[in-house]
Structures are given as C-alpha cells and as structure tokens.
Amino acid sequence: MSKIVSITKEMIIDAAFNITKEKGFSKLSNREIAKYLNCSIRPIYYQFKNSEELMRELNKVMIKYFYDFLTNNMNDEMPKYKQTGINYIKFAKEEKNLFKVLFMSKTNLSISEFIGAAEDNINNIFKLIKGSTKLNDEEIMSFHTKMWLFTHGLATLLACDAIKLNDKQISELLSSEFKALMLLEKEK
C-alpha cells in the first residue's frame, strides 16, 4: 500500500526557496516546484490563491533568510554594524541568486521605502548604528542610507563578478566609508 503525502504550503515555499537559491528566480515555476516535490502542480493551486500569493510568501522567507544571514555569526572583534556590512557583501558573494532577486530586481520604491521595507529588521540595524555612533534617529536614517548605497554598490559588483575583492579589502573599504560619512555628519 502506498503512503499518501500531503503537500503543505511550507513544503511548497521551501521548494520555491531552494529552487531560487540553487538555480535562480528565472528557473522558478509551478512545474519546477512540482518536479522538486515529486508531485503534480495541483497542490500548488490548492494551497495558494494565485502566483502573487506564493511570491509574497517566498519573498518573506527570502527576507528572513537574508536578515538572519546578516546578524548570525557576529563576534566582538569588530563593531556589529560593520559586521552587517561585511555580511551583506558576503551574502551577495555566496547567495548570488537570492541577492539578485532581493536587491537587483525592479521594485519602483524610493530609497527610503526600499530600505524600510523590512521595518522590524531595519530597526535592529538602526540599534547597531546607535551602538557604534552618537547619531540621533534622523541622522541614523541618512547615515545608513549613504552607507547602504556604498555597501550595495560593492555587493552588486561582486554578485555580478564584475570585480574581485578579498575580505581584508572589503573591511578596509567599509571602514573608510564609515569614517568619511561620520566626518560629514560632524560637519553638519
């Protein structure tokens, strides 16, 4: 007697996440998910109203994975905020497919909307900035936006294999940019 396996939402999201991570977003389809789960496409249509709902749920999982990646494996050897920048770049290098979906896709958002899209997670990042600086809340948003744009530029270049940088070079570039931005903040 064969065992009937019920395909859950979580199984579908997990499959979609793994396909995107391994093969890229362009390879993600209901047929590919069904193939990954060794089932028909019917459970996907049963569990999700439409592909937009599936994509929203997948995006939540990718964002959580990204922020966990940023904040895991922190140590006391360097400031926590700097470690998030290094981890951001490391994510771009190690998780290229996820980075491209999250940060190199059209969103039509302004910079502040884009940065603030994951509000709970960004608040944790702002706490790290507060711990490394004497900036007030308004200055933190401005500072982080500039630092993020610099870090994102490096990450994008590395994700596309346009340039090569080792860990020491990345650390030095982030430190230099941090110092430069702090000098600009002091001049205000």
Side-chain angles (χ1 to χ4, degrees):
M1 186 179 269
S2 64
K3 184 178 175 184
I4 297 175
V5 176
S6 180
I7 303 296
T8 65
K9 272 188 169 186
E10 292 76 22
M11 291 168 72
I12 295 166
I13 295 296
D14 188 49
F17 176 81
N18 286 324
I19 293 164
T20 302
K21 186 177 186 217
E22 294 165 15
K23 299 179 180 180
F25 190 69
S26 65
K27 301 295 183 194
L28 183 64
S29 68
N30 287 348
R31 288 197 193 291
E32 193 67 28
I33 293 169
K35 182 178 161 186
Y36 187 94
L37 293 171
N38 198 26
C39 69
S40 72
I41 61 172
R42 183 173 285 134
I44 300 165
Y45 292 113
Y46 176 76
Q47 293 290 351
F48 295 95
K49 286 186 286 193
N50 52 42
S51 59
E52 288 80 23
E53 181 186 5
L54 172 59
M55 291 304 116
R56 273 193 306 276
E57 294 301 315
L58 174 59
N59 196 52
K60 288 178 190 175
V61 170
M62 289 188 299
I63 288 171
K64 181 182 181 335
Y65 181 82
F66 166 72
Y67 277 102
D68 287 347
F69 192 101
L70 281 189
T71 56
N72 287 344
N73 303 315
M74 294 246 181
N75 58 53
D76 293 328
E77 294 173 20
M78 71 175 70
K80 303 280 191 235
Y81 183 59
K82 182 177 180 180
Q83 288 181 65
T84 61
I86 287 171
N87 288 343
Y88 186 94
I89 292 169
K90 186 177 180 183
F91 184 84
K93 288 170 65 177
E94 293 179 11
E95 301 290 356
K96 290 179 183 189
N97 290 325
L98 295 176
F99 182 82
K100 288 174 183 176
V101 172
L102 289 171
F103 300 108
M104 297 175 69
S105 301
K106 185 176 180 176
T107 65
N108 292 323
L109 298 174
S110 69
I111 292 172
S112 60
E113 290 170 330
F114 189 85
I115 290 173
E119 190 174 336
D120 292 342
N121 296 304
I122 200 66
N123 288 334
N124 291 331
I125 301 296
F126 284 4
K127 287 177 190 171
L128 296 177
I129 297 170
K130 215 168 218 171
S132 297
T133 69
K134 291 182 170 94
L135 300 174
N136 65 38
D137 291 345
E138 186 178 308
E139 293 167 332
I140 285 174
M141 182 59 177
S142 172
F143 176 84
H144 179 64
T145 299
K146 292 170 190 155
M147 194 70 210
W148 177 78
L149 287 168
F150 178 82
T151 305
H152 180 72
L154 289 176
T156 301
L157 289 167
L158 290 162
C160 294
D161 294 318
I163 63 171
K164 299 270 187 241
L165 292 173
N166 63 38
D167 292 346
K168 184 178 182 215
Q169 290 169 314
I170 291 167
S171 180
E172 288 171 356
L173 285 166
L174 290 177
S175 290
S176 295
E177 184 65 12
F178 182 90
K179 289 173 189 170
L181 289 175
M182 287 307 296
L183 286 172
L184 286 173
E185 288 298 326
K186 286 180 183 175
E187 287 180 11
K188 282 183 180 179

